Amino acid sequence: MAEENNGAAQETKPVAMKIVNQYIRDLSFENVAAQKNLGGDLKPEVNVQVNLDAAKKSDNGYEVALKLNVSAKSGEQAVFLLEIDYAGLFQIENIPEEQLHPFLMIECPRMMFPFVRRIARDVTADGGFPPLNIDNIDFMQLYRTELMRRQQAAAEQAPTN
């Protein structure tokens, strides 16, 4: 038999998330190889850096930004640079306050990533390179790594007796 609180069953509402809008806040692509007239069969090494940010916009509205910085080098020579600042507006309801930050930094970017990946693929192809297919990003692991980094930084700055 289910436990009851003063004769009434405690009811929890399900978490609700709705993507209100998604948009490119900033996009930059620099074809360094063309500017420096680099020829030949370039096989660049690609480095992808990810940055996330979230801000409250209304009672249940949040803006989440997913920023990618992609650099491609052939040896020491830059081949191209791609920067994407992509944001989404989310309506989120019925989530406990202690779970909100991980939700914003894991679930929201996970929903936006396929769109960012397509933009990166299209821009690099339109820039004269093979389409860049960015590997999946484990946003949960990224979140955990950032938490550990912050805890270590705080521990290093804590005064010792």
Side-chain angles (χ1 to χ4, degrees):
M1 191 190 282
E3 289 186 33
E4 294 186 10
N5 187 10
N6 292 337
Q10 218 167 4
E11 186 178 320
T12 58
K13 296 180 181 180
V15 172
M17 178 176 76
K18 176 182 173 186
I19 301 174
V20 177
N21 204 341
Q22 295 184 74
Y23 49 94
I24 298 171
R25 293 198 308 188
D26 193 21
L27 174 66
S28 172
F29 180 77
E30 187 175 349
N31 187 337
V32 180
Q35 293 172 16
K36 293 190 176 185
N37 202 20
L38 299 177
D41 189 22
L42 297 174
K43 299 214 186 287
E45 180 180 321
V46 177
N47 179 25
V48 178
Q49 295 181 349
V50 180
N51 192 6
L52 300 170
D53 193 19
K56 187 170 186 160
K57 294 295 184 179
S58 64
D59 286 342
N60 294 322
Y62 300 87
E63 179 184 61
V64 178
L66 171 57
K67 300 174 185 177
L68 291 183
N69 289 316
V70 181
S71 61
K73 291 184 175 183
S74 182
E76 291 298 313
Q77 183 64 47
V79 177
F80 70 79
L81 302 169
L82 171 63
E83 295 177 357
I84 302 171
D85 184 352
Y86 191 82
L89 294 175
F90 293 84
Q91 193 76 28
I92 301 171
E93 298 175 355
N94 306 324
I95 189 161
E97 188 66 32
E98 67 275 3
Q99 294 176 7
L100 182 61
H101 190 259
F103 193 85
L104 290 170
M105 294 300 184
I106 298 168
E107 293 305 319
C108 294
R110 191 179 294 169
M111 298 291 288
M112 296 183 332
F113 183 69
F115 299 96
V116 175
R117 174 191 277 163
R118 184 194 52 80
I119 293 166
R121 184 188 68 229
D122 291 349
V123 167
T124 54
D126 290 347
F129 295 96
L132 176 63
N133 291 311
I134 299 173
D135 290 338
N136 281 328
I137 296 172
D138 185 346
F139 290 102
M140 183 176 289
Q141 185 58 43
L142 194 66
Y143 184 77
R144 288 178 180 158
T145 301
E146 180 61 16
L147 282 181
M148 287 177 50
R149 186 194 66 75
R150 288 182 183 195
Q151 288 171 352
Q152 288 174 348
E156 289 172 3
Q157 293 191 7
T160 57
N161 294 331

